[in-house]
Amino acid sequence: MHPLWLVSPFFFWGTAMIVMKAILPQTAPLFLGAFRLIPAGLLVLAAAVVLGRSQPRSWRAWGAILLFALVDGTLFQGFLVTGLARTQAGLGSVMIDSQPLVVALLAWWLYGEVIGLWGWLGLALGLTGIGMIALPPQEWAHLGDYWAQVAGHGEWWMLLAAVAMALGTVMMRWLSRWVDPLVATGWHLVLGGIPLLALSGLWEGAAWSQVNAWGWLGMAYSAVLGSAASYGLFFYLAAQGNLTSLSALTFLTPVFALTFGALFLGETLTLWQLSGVILTLISITLINQRHRLQTPVAQPVPVPVSVKPSP
């Protein structure tokens, strides 16, 4: 698959975070989350029909879809929009994209995926990189105080969203045993958005009444490209590819979010944050090339030929 297709979900997710943050003053979080999911799910299901994908045919399949919808639809999107209302879009994207570490652990435990030394090093560098993007250097000396305050702010909700997204990612391979990945993606968006819409009606009232034309256009962007296209492609890849390598690409999401925030919202990157971006890109390279990097170590090397030190 062309690299642009691999990167596109994370580009749309990163830019959608900025768009959603801009829309929030006109509406309410749960309504925004529901509108992002339900229309997107209907679009994905329509595409599945056009492509001739089979619908679920057993109670086991529907049960798996409902569980998937709860975790990666209702909980993930609910935590995300609640956190987004309480923190900056770029920072929120950074917090969510700590999830590859959780994916790596779950994929190693459930599916036996080999991470290796280079993979763990890449994950550590990636988390360090997004931490540098999020926190200025002076804050690193007070991380204990910072994390003690996280529970009362949007960052806590974003971390919960990261865990829910990680669980959803590893669930897709299990779910694809009974359901076509594209069909599962569509149904989980629709079914996951319904509880958010119901809760919005109970708690937020007429959350759509103040949305202007630009707001509806932004919501359409977050639904069509930020959800339908991105989720469809991401979970198609998750059902077939290496989960650790795929999830590592989510480190690109805050990079896109911060870059476009600088372009369109006047936000600027410090030298410290730029260093974090570079470190993040290095981490993605290490994780995706970890098997190739480890191959020379596994091969016997004759003496006295000079050899590279074992990693």
Side-chain angles (χ1 to χ4, degrees):
M1 180 174 287
H2 196 280
L4 289 178
W5 286 108
L6 293 174
V7 171
S8 62
F10 313 104
F11 170 82
F12 290 130
W13 279 335
T15 52
M17 288 285 288
I18 296 174
V19 172
M20 291 169 66
K21 182 65 177 180
I23 296 169
L24 270 172
Q26 301 180 25
T27 182
L30 295 181
F31 176 77
L32 179 59
F35 190 89
R36 186 185 182 190
L37 292 187
I38 296 175
L42 294 175
L43 288 174
V44 173
L45 289 174
V49 171
V50 171
L51 294 173
R53 301 297 179 89
S54 60
Q55 294 294 318
R57 297 180 179 178
S58 69
W59 287 109
R60 174 179 290 182
W62 281 110
I65 288 175
L66 286 171
L67 181 60
F68 184 46
L70 174 64
V71 173
D72 196 75
T74 305
L75 293 180
F76 168 63
Q77 197 63 218
F79 292 151
L80 185 151
V81 293
T82 301
L84 189 60
R86 293 168 169 80
T87 190
Q88 297 177 1
L91 178 57
S93 180
V94 167
M95 303 307 293
I96 287 177
D97 291 302
S98 64
Q99 61 92 17
L101 181 57
V102 182
V103 171
L105 292 171
L106 292 173
W108 166 71
W109 179 44
L110 296 173
Y111 303 125
E113 285 192 4
V114 177
I115 300 175
L117 179 60
W118 290 106
W120 287 113
L121 177 61
L123 286 168
L125 289 177
L127 291 174
T128 303
I130 60 175
M132 291 173 66
I133 294 171
L135 298 175
Q138 62 269 22
E139 293 293 334
W140 284 71
H142 306 287
L143 281 181
D145 296 336
Y146 175 80
W147 288 109
Q149 299 174 6
V150 160
H153 297 83
E155 291 87 347
W156 172 246
W157 294 99
M158 291 301 189
L159 287 175
L160 290 176
V163 173
M165 183 179 181
L167 290 172
T169 301
V170 299
M171 284 176 68
M172 177 50 80
R173 184 178 296 179
W174 162 75
L175 181 62
S176 62
R177 299 175 185 176
W178 304 291
V179 188
D180 178 87
L182 187 63
V183 173
T185 299
W187 278 115
H188 108 280
L189 291 171
V190 173
L191 297 175
I194 291 174
L196 295 178
L197 186 61
L199 291 174
S200 175
L202 289 173
W203 298 339
E204 297 174 343
W208 62 87
S209 60
Q210 301 300 317
V211 181
N212 60 26
W214 286 108
W216 286 112
L217 183 61
M219 291 173 71
Y221 178 88
S222 67
V224 176
L225 295 178
S227 289
S230 301
Y231 274 105
L233 183 56
F234 179 80
F235 285 118
Y236 170 79
L237 296 171
Q240 299 187 7
N242 184 284
L243 294 177
T244 302
S245 297
L246 177 64
S247 65
L249 290 174
T250 60
F251 285 139
L252 285 173
T253 305
V255 175
F256 287 128
L258 288 161
T259 300
F260 282 89
L263 288 174
F264 295 104
L265 302 179
E267 300 174 352
T268 58
L269 290 177
T270 65
L271 181 60
W272 175 262
Q273 289 175 316
L274 182 60
S275 300
V277 170
I278 295 172
L279 202 60
T280 298
L281 296 175
I282 293 173
S283 79
I284 294 170
T285 302
L286 284 177
I287 293 169
N288 287 305
Q289 299 297 322
R290 66 188 186 279
H291 297 302
R292 183 177 299 176
L293 290 170
Q294 289 177 176
T295 298
V297 178
Q299 302 296 326
V301 182
V303 179
V305 177
S306 176
V307 297
K308 296 180 180 179
S310 176

